[in-house]
Amino acid sequence: MSTIISAQDLHIDLEGANEAGLFKWLLASFLMGKRIQGAIAAKAYQVIVEQHQCDTPQKIAHRTHRQLVVMLGQAHYVRYDETTASRLLALAKKLNGDYGGKVSNIVAASADRQALEKRLTEFEGVGPKTVEIFMREAAVVLYRPSTGASKN
């Protein structure tokens, strides 16, 4: 049985649906959404974000495929390292190009939660599992009536 890793476990602050937290949680969800042990995915997140300071889609987009493969390898995220590196670059490129580098712009462009989930699956390598992981915690801050950010 696998342990559920939360945003809090990774020291990701989602309060107020802040941009930095949303991107970091999307990145972590993306890594955890693959058929790989949660602990390895969490370590990959830490290597990429904490050790290599790739905490924005702009910073990821400025890395080479090889640099991302090396980062994933440092975390022993080796089963899918090549495809994951390619998909991380594609995610950063699409997020930067289509949404100004902001997860909050994906939210703003979506009429409701269902539309947001559909937009997320338009990113290469983002499937139902990644969306499920991301929405498990992001939905709480994105669709909380008291924040004024509710899109229900």
Side-chain angles (χ1 to χ4, degrees):
M1 179 179 240
S2 63
T3 302
I4 293 176
I5 298 169
S6 70
Q8 185 177 2
D9 293 335
L10 297 174
H11 308 290
I12 298 171
D13 177 17
L14 289 172
E15 257 331 287
N18 72 81
E19 185 58 41
L22 286 172
F23 176 72
K24 289 176 182 179
W25 184 237
L26 179 61
L27 176 60
S29 300
F30 179 86
L31 294 166
M32 291 186 287
K34 309 297 175 259
R35 292 178 182 257
I36 198 152
Q37 292 178 358
I40 292 173
K43 180 65 176 171
Y45 168 82
Q46 291 168 332
V47 168
I48 292 168
V49 171
E50 296 170 12
Q51 187 175 334
H52 292 279
Q53 305 300 306
C54 288
D55 57 357
T56 68
Q58 295 82 9
K59 290 177 183 177
I60 288 178
H62 283 95
R63 297 297 181 146
T64 65
H65 179 268
R66 179 61 31 215
Q67 287 172 321
L68 290 170
V69 168
V70 169
M71 288 180 213
L72 292 166
Q74 286 179 280
H76 305 290
Y77 195 111
V78 294
R79 185 173 177 192
Y80 301 106
D81 59 345
E82 294 283 340
T83 57
T84 299
S86 295
R87 289 176 173 172
L88 280 171
L89 287 170
L91 182 139
K93 182 179 178 181
K94 182 172 177 66
L95 189 55
N96 288 328
D98 295 357
Y99 298 101
K102 295 184 175 186
V103 176
S104 58
N105 287 345
I106 304 172
V107 177
S110 304
D112 55 24
R113 179 180 173 147
Q114 184 177 9
L116 173 59
E117 291 179 4
K118 183 180 183 312
R119 283 181 189 275
L120 290 172
T121 63
E122 292 170 358
F123 286 83
E124 183 181 342
V126 174
K129 186 46 116 179
T130 298
V131 170
E132 175 189 323
I133 294 167
F134 179 74
M135 294 304 290
R136 179 181 72 219
E137 294 188 44
V140 173
V141 296
L142 292 173
Y143 299 102
R144 183 184 308 150
S146 63
T147 66
S150 180
K151 292 195 148 296
N152 285 342

